[in-house]
Amino acid sequence: MNQSKDNAARRALYESIRPHHMTPLWEVLHALVPKSPTTACVPALWRYREVKPFLMQSGELITAEEAVRRVLILENPGLPGQSAITQSLYAGLQLILPGEVAPSHRHVQSALRFVIDGKGAYTTVEGERTTMHPGDFIITPSWRWHDHGNEGVDGVTEPVVWLDGLDIPTVRFFDAGFAENDDVSKSQTVRHPEGSSYARYGANMAPVRRVNTGLTSPIFSYPYSRTREALHALERNSEIDAWHGIKMKYINPTTGGWAMPTIGTCMQLLPKGFRGKPHRSTEGTVYCVTEGRGSARIGDQTFQFEPQDVFVVPSWASLSLSSEEGAVLFSYSDRPIHEALGILREEFAD
Ligand code: 1HN
């Protein structure tokens, strides 16, 4: 009796404070400070074989120029309408057909491109062009002019598809987004020969004078040929991690830290017959299959993956990776932010 009277009195208080834009903490405290992460983000996999026809169909319905960027966004099923694959990260599949141009613009959001299908497209970042090949990891740093095109390479012109990864939800969270179109030219004038940045920073050397001191790696294109060679050498000569296989992070050679300030990028090799132990981390991670087939057990779901598929592992979901034939996986996550804020937690189970 007393309690229901109290409850009625409490509800009356909540009603009276509502117009003052106030609310009682004690009703929400447990949800605000959960015992462990309670994300709305769910595990999911996009089978490239299944979604490629939709992407090609979009190629018949809109040009890259009209769309500005012809992209089908990969939305987490638990975060509908938010253009987010995890709480902090965005993912999309971008198509550029031979002869097309995606016009020059710049924005605060940082972007990565992971090439998954076709070769011969290029991206130009601040006047330096790089030709795209499958497995290449390419960076567009915050606030740098960038445009894309597809002129083919080695006499081959074909549609090119890449996975875009951006920190859009993170920048939105901080209300820090700005953007600009290049009104002067759709396509930047190339001012530096292809390979300039790589020659300057990609040979374990750096210029003695005027070292780039930005937050993002000055190597803006990490070719898969080099990454692959390193992973296979390590597979032959080094210890295999029971959880990750061989997992290497892309680094900014001028700092030794992550290649991008907000997005951590890795390439990982699962040797033939690998059966990884379960691991979980507070980072939300997007995987893209570079080579090989296998399975990802995420929480209590198992996903079979094949080349070019994309899958997402939510914060604190346990992940075990296995592969009979061996596989190579690219991944990106918000780990650099967790590390910078001192909130990263991870667990390696037996
Ligand atoms: C963007 O600039 C690109 O440059 C791709 O290719 C996807 C999604 C949202 C905002 C900007 C690109 C994007 C984007």
Side-chain angles (χ1 to χ4, degrees):
M1 180 62 189
N2 251 346
Q3 200 183 355
S4 73
K5 213 172 97 192
D6 281 356
N7 279 343
R10 286 177 186 178
R11 277 197 305 277
L13 170 67
Y14 305 164
E15 284 308 307
S16 10
I17 65 177
R18 206 210 311 264
H20 298 271
H21 314 294
M22 296 167 83
T23 192
L25 171 62
W26 58 87
E27 292 289 341
V28 293
L29 184 57
H30 51 290
L32 283 183
V33 190
K35 280 200 178 321
S36 62
T38 53
T39 182
C41 176
V42 297
L45 178 140
W46 289 263
R47 218 171 282 294
Y48 187 65
R49 200 158 32 95
E50 232 169 76
V51 303
K52 181 178 177 174
F54 301 129
L55 202 53
M56 299 317 288
Q57 210 180 326
S58 76
E60 289 164 16
L61 299 178
I62 192 164
T63 63
E65 193 171 340
E66 190 194 345
V68 182
R69 298 294 186 262
R70 189 202 288 111
V71 177
L72 296 181
I73 300 174
L74 306 182
E75 271 202 339
N76 191 284
L79 306 168
Q82 297 183 36
S83 301
I85 191 160
T86 69
Q87 288 289 4
S88 62
L89 295 170
Y90 159 103
L93 295 175
Q94 180 158 176
L95 167 68
I96 189 148
L97 296 169
E100 288 193 317
V101 165
S104 182
H105 69 185
R106 63 177 177 176
H107 38 72
V108 163
Q109 293 81 357
S110 296
L112 67 86
R113 330 281 168 196
F114 185 70
V115 186
I116 65 176
D117 199 5
K119 61 178 169 104
Y122 65 81
T123 185
T124 306
V125 177
E126 293 282 325
E128 184 176 335
R129 186 175 278 200
T130 193
T131 304
M132 298 170 146
H133 302 88
D136 293 353
F137 157 55
I138 294 160
I139 303 173
T140 310
S142 178
W143 207 244
R144 301 291 159 81
W145 294 108
H146 56 286
D147 57 81
H148 319 300
N150 184 352
E151 294 178 351
V153 65
D154 305 330
V156 179
T157 52
E158 55 191 12
V160 174
V161 177
W162 63 76
L163 174 67
D164 282 315
L166 288 92
D167 54 9
I168 289 174
T170 299
V171 173
R172 182 167 59 199
F173 177 79
F174 290 109
D175 289 332
F178 295 87
E180 246 176 32
N181 288 323
D182 188 341
D183 296 327
V184 182
S185 71
K186 284 192 305 194
S187 211
Q188 293 170 72
T189 307
V190 176
R191 290 177 287 114
H192 311 288
E194 178 148 6
S196 301
S197 294
Y198 202 81
R200 222 170 259 125
Y201 295 100
N204 295 319
M205 301 180 87
V208 170
R209 274 156 50 80
R210 285 197 282 273
V211 169
N212 178 308
T213 52
L215 291 175
T216 304
S217 170
I219 301 180
F220 79 107
S221 177
Y222 293 76
Y224 184 49
S225 55
R226 299 295 305 276
T227 307
R228 190 174 195 279
E229 191 183 318
L231 289 172
H232 283 282
L234 290 169
E235 181 186 18
R236 289 189 300 273
N237 321 331
S238 85
E239 210 177 301
I240 308 297
D241 183 90
W243 293 270
H244 292 318
I246 293 163
K247 187 168 184 177
M248 303 288 285
K249 62 182 194 178
Y250 290 93
I251 60 164
N252 175 343
T254 67
T255 62
W258 293 101
M260 304 172 71
T262 51
I263 308 180
T265 48
C266 293
M267 193 74 98
Q268 160 176 22
L269 182 148
L270 311 179
K272 272 196 181 68
F274 184 72
R275 300 179 71 94
K277 294 181 178 180
H279 155 259
R280 61 180 175 174
S281 161
T282 50
E283 68 200 292
T285 310
V286 179
Y287 284 84
C288 182
V289 183
T290 312
E291 293 189 65
R293 265 158 265 267
S295 69
R297 184 157 179 81
I298 311 172
D300 54 12
Q301 289 172 267
T302 302
F303 297 87
Q304 305 297 331
F305 60 75
E306 60 181 41
Q308 305 164 303
D309 291 352
V310 176
F311 59 93
V312 56
V313 182
S315 166
W316 215 234
S318 132
L319 169 70
S320 353
L321 294 166
S322 303
S323 175
E324 276 313 309
E325 64 183 71
V328 180
L329 306 175
F330 173 79
S331 61
Y332 67 96
S333 81
D334 52 5
R335 189 178 178 105
I337 305 178
H338 290 242
E339 289 178 352
L341 301 185
I343 58 171
L344 181 77
R345 257 205 215 198
E346 50 188 342
E347 257 179 25
F348 294 85
D350 276 326

